[in-house]
Amino acid sequence: MSDPFDLAEVAPPPAGALAPAPYLNALNPEQRAAVEALDGPVLVLAGAGTGKTRVLTTRLAHLINMRRAWPSQVLAVTFTNKAAREMRERVAALLGGAVDGLWLGTFHATAARMLRRHAELVGLKPDFSILDQDDQLRLIKQVAEPMHLDDKRWPSRVLAAAFDRWKDRGLTPEQIGRAEAEHVADGKGGELYAAYQDRLRVLNACDFGDLLLHCITIFRAHPDVLGQWQRKFRYVLVDEYQDANVAQYLWLRLLAQQHKNLCVVGDDDQSIYRWRGAEVGNILRFEQDFPGATVIRLERNYRSTARILGAASGLIAHNRGRLGKTLRPADAGANDQGAPVEVRGVWDDEAEARLVGEDIEQLQRDGHPLKEMAILVRASFQTRSFEERLLTLGLPYRVIGGTRFYDRAEIRDAVAYLRLVNQPDHDLAFDRIVNLPRRGLGDTSLQALHRIARAQGISLTQAARRVLETDELRPQARRALRDFLAQLDLWRGKLVEMNHVALAETVLEESGYVDMWRVDKSPEAPGKLENLKELVRALAEFENLAGFLEHVSLVSDNEQQAGEDGVNLMTLHGAKGLEFDVVFLPGWEEGLFPHQRSLDEGEAGLEEERRLAYVGLTRARQRAYLSHAANRRVHGAWQSSIPSRFIAELPDEHVARTADSGLYAGHGRGGGLADPESVFAVPAPGSTWDTPGQRRARAFFAARNVTPPAPRENARLAANAAIAVGDRVFHQKFGTGRVLDRDGDKLDIDFQHAGRKKVFDSFVTKA
DNA sequence: GGGTCCCCGTTTTTT
DNA sequence: ACGGGGACCC
C-alpha cells in the first residue's frame, strides 16, 4: 500500500485565470450560497430531497476549478463506498474528467490510508490487516476465554458492542472511566478491552473502530505528524455529518484545525444510527464547536408532493432535539398538492401483504414501473410476508440488504485461505481454515498450537512449525499438520510467478475446499460453489492479491444489479438516500414501529424512531401508503397491537385514514369501513386490552389531552375476561377450539383444525 | 474428534 | 418458527 503522495508542504495553486463555472447556474440561491462559501467552517443543513449531493459535489468541483487547492489538498469523506463512488463520478462529470490525487473516500478507508503511514506509532506494522466483525468476535472470544467470564451473560457480541461504543467515543483502554469499565463483564470490562487491544497489536491487526481511534491517538501524541496532515488538507468536506460518531468528529476537528475550512453537510432529522454510536449532538453543536460557522439551510424540496412533505414535517415536529427546518415544495405555487398519505388498518400481516400487493398491481396498470415502488419495513423479518405475496402474484421484486457477498461463510473461508497465503502469520485466517475441510486437526491439536503460540509470543503458523519438531501431537495429527504447512509453502512459492487469479483457483482446488462443497449434498452447496466462482471473477478485477484483500476488508459490495424491473423491498435504514415514486410503509404499530427496544431506551430512542419514520415518508415522490395490522405473528406467536403513535401524529389535512371493519373494537362484523376514528379507540382500563402497548397508548393520549373515541363494543370485549378454562370458543383465524389454560389475558386453546395455540382472549368469542 | 440435541434470542448494520 | 451455538454424548 504505497501512497504516491508526499506529506511535504505544497503551496496551493496560484490564483490565476479561473475557468468559467457554468455549473453554478444549475443551483438555487441557497445551494449556490453553500457552494460558494468556501472559507471557514460551514454547516449545510440539507433536508431530504433538497439537493444535498448536488451541493457537495458542486462545491468540491468549484474548489478545484477555482484553484483554491490542489486536488491532493482536499479531503472529502463519506460513510459508504457507494456515496464516495457517486461523488467521484459526479465531480468528474462537472469538471469534464476524472480528478487525480483527491482524497475522497469513506471515513474508514481514508483513516486506514493515513494509518498505514504511521502504523509504527501505535505498535503496528504498515501492512496490518483489518478485521471485520466476524474476526473480531472470534478474537474477543479467545481473549475472554481465560478470564472465566459467564459467557451466557457476557457473550462475545455484547463485549464487542461495548468495545465498539468505546471506540466510537474515541476512548482507548486507558481513557475509559473506572465506573464505566466496571459495569461491563462483571468488573472486568476495562481489563478485557486492554487485553483485546494488546492481542490485536500482537496480530498486527485493527478492527474498524481502531482505524479512527489509532489516528486520533497518533495525532494527539505526535503534533508533528498531525501538523503535516493539517497543513496538507486545506479543505475538508463531510457528507451525512449527522451520522458521525465522536471519534469521527475528533478526527475531523483535529485535521481541520489549521485551515478551519471544514464543511459538513447533513440533516439532524435523518440521524438514524444512534445505536451504532452516531452522535446527533455533533451536528446540533456545530456552531459552538466551530465559532463563526456559516449555517445554510436547504429547505426547498425537489422530490415529494406538498402533502407528503406536510405529513413528514408534521410528524418530525414532534421531536424536541432538532435544529428545525421546514421542507417546502420547490414548486410552492403549484395547485396540485398531490394525493394524501394513505393510512390503512388491516386485520393481520397477511391482509397487509394482500392489500399492498393489490395496490402494486393497480399502480403498475396505471403506468408506474415496479422499480419505482418500494416497501420499506422496520425489521427485516417483515419482508417475508411481502415476498410470499409478490411471489404468488408473480410480481418481480428484489430484497435490498441482507447478507453481503463477503459475509457469506464460504467466501470468508476462501478469503481466509488467500489471506493466509499472503500473510503467513494471520492467526485468525489460520484458525478459520486449518481444519476446513476436515484434516483431522481437532480441538486438542489446535489448543496445543495456541498454547505454544501464546507462550512463545509467536504466530500459529510458526507454532505449527515448532510443534512438528516435537512429539507433542499424535502421529496422525502431526502428519496432517505437516502436509497442510507444506501446501501453504507451496502456494506461497507461487505468489511471485503465478498470476493471482490462477493462484486462487489452485489454492481452492488443492486445499480440497471446493471439493468439500462439491461433495456436499445440501441444497445450499451449488449456490456456494457459484459464489466461489464469483469470488474468483471478482479477484480478476484487481492487480494483485494484496489489493484485493484490502478491498475485501473495507468495501462491502452490496450493489444490486439495477436495470431489471422489480419492486424494492428493504428496511427503512437501508432506504436512506434513496427515492421512489411510491413508497409502502407497513407495520406502523406500537412495539414494532416505534420498536419496543427503542421505547425502552426512553425519549432519545423514541425520537430516533420518529426520525426513521420521517426518513421513510420522505423517500416518496408521489405516493405514500402506511398500514398497520391488528394482529401479527412475531417469533411464532400471534400478537395483537394498536396503531403506531406516529399515525396519530400525522397532520389530518394531509392524510386519509381508513380501516377494515371493527378492527380495534371487536371484530368479525362484516361490511363497509369503520368510522376512521375507531382505529384510535382505546378501551377502558381493566378491559382485556390491558397490554403494555395499550398502557403506553393510553398514557400517550392522556399526555396530549386527547380523548380517544370510546370503543363500540366494549361490553363484548369485557365479556371475554369471563371466558374460562374448558369453554368452547371461536377465533376468526383458527376456528373453534376448547380453552385448556389461561395466563393473564392469554388463552391456551386447542383448536379443532389449527391445533394448540396461545391467543389473547380478546380475539375469541364464546362459541 | 465428530455428531446430536436443546436452548436462547430474535431491530436497525455504512465500515 | 427457526437458526446458531454450546453442551453433551458416543
Side-chain angles (χ1 to χ4, degrees), chain A residues 239-542:
Chain A
D239 190 17
E240 304 273 23
Y241 186 62
Q242 77 283 351
D243 288 335
N245 59 36
V246 170
Q248 287 156 339
Y249 156 79
L250 292 169
W251 185 82
L252 287 170
R253 201 178 66 172
L254 287 163
L255 284 172
Q257 233 157 37
Q258 170 90 18
H259 295 291
K260 299 197 164 52
N261 296 325
L262 173 66
C263 172
V264 304
V265 179
D267 181 0
D268 50 317
D269 290 333
Q270 292 187 69
S271 169
I272 54 174
Y273 286 112
R274 192 177 84 103
W275 50 277
R276 217 161 44 189
E279 179 58 60
V280 202
N282 288 335
I283 197 167
L284 300 179
R285 273 195 340 261
F286 187 84
E287 290 181 78
Q288 285 92 48
D289 287 339
F290 300 93
T294 308
V295 180
I296 293 162
R297 283 182 160 74
L298 304 182
E299 298 177 309
R300 288 194 214 200
N301 176 292
Y302 294 90
R303 181 185 298 162
S304 311
T305 65
R307 279 221 146 101
I308 289 168
L309 293 179
S313 298
L315 177 68
I316 201 65
H318 287 81
N319 269 8
R320 274 191 257 161
R322 60 192 291 257
L323 292 167
K325 285 184 274 42
T326 311
L327 284 185
R328 299 185 306 273
D331 189 8
N335 288 328
D336 186 9
Q337 301 279 292
V341 171
E342 294 212 30
V343 176
R344 288 116 28 118
V346 294
W347 171 248
D348 64 5
D349 47 341
E350 272 178 43
E352 188 175 50
R354 275 198 302 276
L355 180 64
V356 169
E358 282 163 22
D359 288 338
I360 291 173
E361 289 187 312
Q362 183 59 49
L363 287 158
Q364 192 185 26
R365 282 194 290 273
D366 293 347
H368 289 276
L370 294 177
K371 67 175 189 310
E372 281 307 333
M373 301 182 216
I375 305 173
L376 310 181
V377 297
R378 175 64 182 86
S380 47
F381 77 86
Q382 290 172 264
T383 55
R384 208 217 49 198
S385 55
F386 293 102
E387 283 189 71
E388 282 173 6
R389 193 65 206 152
L390 292 169
L391 281 170
T392 309
L393 295 173
L395 291 171
Y397 66 89
R398 53 180 160 239
V399 181
I400 316 250
T403 309
R404 289 190 296 260
F405 184 71
Y406 288 112
D407 283 342
R408 293 167 198 273
E410 66 276 18
I411 299 305
R412 299 182 51 83
D413 293 338
V415 169
Y417 269 103
L418 300 179
R419 276 197 203 288
L420 195 55
V421 170
N422 192 237
Q423 291 182 40
D425 297 330
H426 202 302
D427 279 9
L428 289 157
F430 183 97
D431 238 358
R432 186 174 181 100
I433 46 104
V434 63
N435 200 31
L436 196 76
R438 299 256 138 86
R439 298 186 170 88
L441 291 162
D443 260 4
T444 334
S445 315
L446 286 189
Q447 268 167 19
L449 287 185
H450 274 278
R451 201 179 52 243
I452 294 164
R454 203 63 83 88
Q456 308 193 20
I458 54 178
S459 71
L460 289 171
T461 303
Q462 289 163 356
R465 289 192 204 291
R466 294 208 188 158
V467 87
L468 286 180
E469 292 160 14
T470 70
D471 53 6
E472 203 158 335
L473 299 187
R474 289 186 310 185
Q476 248 184 322
R478 207 185 318 162
R479 200 174 319 123
L481 190 58
R482 179 178 299 126
D483 290 349
F484 181 56
L485 288 182
Q487 272 191 314
L488 281 171
D489 287 336
L490 195 71
W491 297 328
R492 277 177 206 133
K494 293 182 177 165
L495 257 175
V496 193
E497 62 188 74
M498 207 178 206
N499 154 298
H500 61 292
V501 179
L503 178 62
E505 283 173 332
T506 307
V507 170
L508 295 178
E509 283 294 342
E510 290 183 0
S511 63
Y513 186 73
V514 174
D515 277 332
M516 183 180 94
W517 290 116
R518 288 205 187 103
V519 173
D520 194 306
K521 290 287 162 256
S522 65
E524 302 86 45
K528 287 174 186 276
L529 286 168
E530 204 41 56
N531 287 337
L532 289 169
K533 278 191 202 144
E534 179 59 35
L535 176 73
V536 174
R537 274 195 289 274
L539 196 56
E541 289 169 29
F542 294 83

Side-chain angles (χ1 to χ4, degrees), chain A residues 118 261 309 312 314 374 432 536 551 569 596 653:
Chain A
H118 312 290
N261 296 325
L309 293 179
R432 186 174 181 100
V536 174
H551 169 87
L569 260 148
Q596 188 57 48
E653 64 269 33

